[in-house]
Amino acid sequence: MRFADCAWPPPASPLSRRPAVSFAVLATDSSSAARVGRLDLPHGTVDTPIFMPVGTQGTVKTLHPSEVEQLGAQIILGNTYHLWLRPGHELIRGLGGLHGFSGWQRPILTDSGGFQVWSLAKLRKITEEGVQFRNHLDGSKMLLTPELSMEIQAALGSDIAMLFDECPPYPCEEAYAEKSLALTTRWARRCKDWISANEPRSGDGRQRHFGIVQGSIYPDLRERSARELVALDFDGYAIGGVSVGEPEEEMFRAIDHAVPFLPHDKPRYAMGLGTPPQILEMIGRGVDMFDCVMPTRLARHGMAMTLDGPINIKNQIHATDPRPVCESAHAHVAGFSRAYLRHLFRAGEILGLRLLSFHNLHFYLRLAAGAREAIAAGNYSDYRDSFVRRYTRSAS
RNA sequence: GGGUAGGUGGCCGAGUGGUUAAAGGCGGCAGACUGUAAAUCUGCUCUCAUUGAGUACGCUGGUUCGAAUCCAGCCCUGCCCA
């Protein structure tokens, strides 16, 4: 199975006819820890491994929900922090939750605001109670707590709510990482208490909750964090605190030191990852779910993913190139030349942002679909290796 | 013809005796981006060479130790009046 041979849109997996359970592992790879799974959620089913496009503010930037659907995206992200500040979770609740409000009818995962603890570090103060933010919109002080994060996510009505965590920076002293993960665990307990006291729904329609493993680059801490969260019993587990500036090898190690302590029958989610080769690497290490701003942000900055690595469409070299951006491009984009795409970017035309956003997401989604097919077909290592070999060949 | 304002690096535009190869913007050429304060940010952008040198603020001449900056003449442009 090669990336270029993958059918698009991907066929429904014949493996996915099973009794309704929240998550089922349907196939495993013999040469790696990769597995194919199915995750049943209130708004639909998600085939794993999966890439989840990021739609922080209730929109996958530049794209119409129908286009995101056309891409075959099965689940997208939203962000608690941003939607809380603007337009406010009660407003969204009143307009049909995030699904009704945004027009996206498939599953949504909401991040808890924990990442903003890291990304807005200059504007916040962490206490036992929660995180005091200086609102980046108007500078006013606001307190986000585990309970409030859960309440906001319940109001948004996402299919999966992430627990409120502290994402420590890199590098991070071991003592701080230990303190931080202990806080994340205490917050997880408070999230759980809030959920059991307030979650109105039950059964298949209920919101799922994923814990977030922290512990920076320290193996013992990763293990401890994973064990503590698993003991609290959530619907799935994420590995956080990665892709915060650490070398790639540290990132892989952090995953490896967490995955073995996570249950086989629950989905595993590596937060914020990654480049295409990183995602294939992580799938081989047993991760099921990914999200990353990279395809959409890079698209808006003129970078297009191709089977031969990313290219900067703004570069002069593409000025008269009649070829499509990539031989694997979706028909929606394949009809446009690199020369035209370059022109759109140089002219500041919005269509350029849209076409590359569409293209890069297609590339990522197809990468994941190909991985699912390859795992089911029992040749995942070949798929990964042949993709990475070509993708990185000209990059160096 | 008279008056007046002005001519600065690819373009716009600041500078009005030395710290000016000349602010800033645009344009151009690259780079960065990983649970999105991001259609953003960074670097380079006269010529040649390694430090360094050369050429350059309409043109020509002058004043001065030193001129994009002061003076004279000329050329050109905008506006106003004939």
Side-chain angles (χ1 to χ4, degrees), chain A residues 232-245:
Chain A
L232 290 170
D233 187 27
F234 294 105
D235 299 297
Y237 299 92
I239 297 151
V242 284
S243 66
V244 289

Side-chain angles (χ1 to χ4, degrees), chain A residues 144-362:
Chain A
L144 187 56
T145 65
E147 291 82 6
L148 180 55
S149 176
M150 291 298 107
E151 185 184 331
I152 294 167
Q153 294 184 76
L156 296 175
S158 52
D159 296 73
I160 300 172
M162 300 305 298
L163 300 202
F164 190 62
D165 64 328
E166 189 208 343
C167 181
Y170 177 89
C172 173
E173 297 286 323
E174 186 164 3
Y176 184 84
E178 185 171 7
K179 244 180 66 183
S180 169
L181 94 82
L183 182 65
T184 290
T185 298
R186 290 197 296 278
W187 285 356
R189 205 169 283 129
R190 280 166 56 189
C191 287
K192 192 168 174 71
D193 289 344
W194 188 92
I195 294 160
S196 36
N198 296 280
E199 172 58 72
R201 292 165 293 175
S202 60
D204 288 348
R206 77 181 171 84
Q207 189 173 45
R208 311 298 201 271
H209 300 94
F210 282 24
I212 304 176
V213 176
Q214 290 293 349
S216 190
I217 59 167
Y218 305 101
D220 294 353
L221 299 184
R222 284 284 174 185
E223 175 179 348
R224 186 196 305 177
S225 179
R227 287 187 186 282
E228 290 178 355
L229 289 168
V230 171
L232 290 170
D233 187 27
F234 294 105
D235 299 297
Y237 299 92
I239 297 151
V242 284
S243 66
V244 289
E246 76 282 14
E248 191 176 75
E249 278 312 309
E250 295 283 12
M251 186 166 82
F252 291 144
R253 271 201 288 275
I255 300 288
D256 286 342
H257 290 128
V259 167
F261 308 103
L262 299 176
H264 181 263
D265 61 349
K266 294 282 174 71
R268 304 160 183 161
Y269 164 27
M271 304 191 77
L273 301 182
T275 64
Q278 285 170 351
I279 286 177
L280 294 185
E281 185 63 37
M282 297 286 177
I283 289 173
R285 291 165 191 250
V287 178
D288 307 302
M289 302 167 69
F290 302 88
D291 78 281
C292 194
V293 303
M294 205 172 257
T296 42
R297 179 183 294 166
L298 291 192
R300 294 193 305 282
H301 296 170
M303 298 292 287
M305 321 305 299
T306 81
L307 291 173
D308 296 302
I311 61 169
N312 187 340
I313 202 68
K314 292 182 288 190
N315 284 177
Q316 193 171 43
I317 195 169
H318 306 115
T320 61
D321 196 333
R323 294 175 300 158
V325 61
C326 176
E327 67 197 62
S328 73
H330 189 286
H332 195 59
V333 173
F336 301 105
S337 65
R338 293 184 178 193
Y340 179 63
L341 292 168
R342 175 170 191 265
H343 160 69
L344 291 178
F345 269 87
R346 284 158 47 89
E349 285 293 339
I350 294 168
L351 183 60
L353 312 182
R354 288 176 30 71
L355 290 176
L356 284 198
S357 294
F358 190 97
H359 169 69
N360 284 350
L361 282 179
H362 173 252

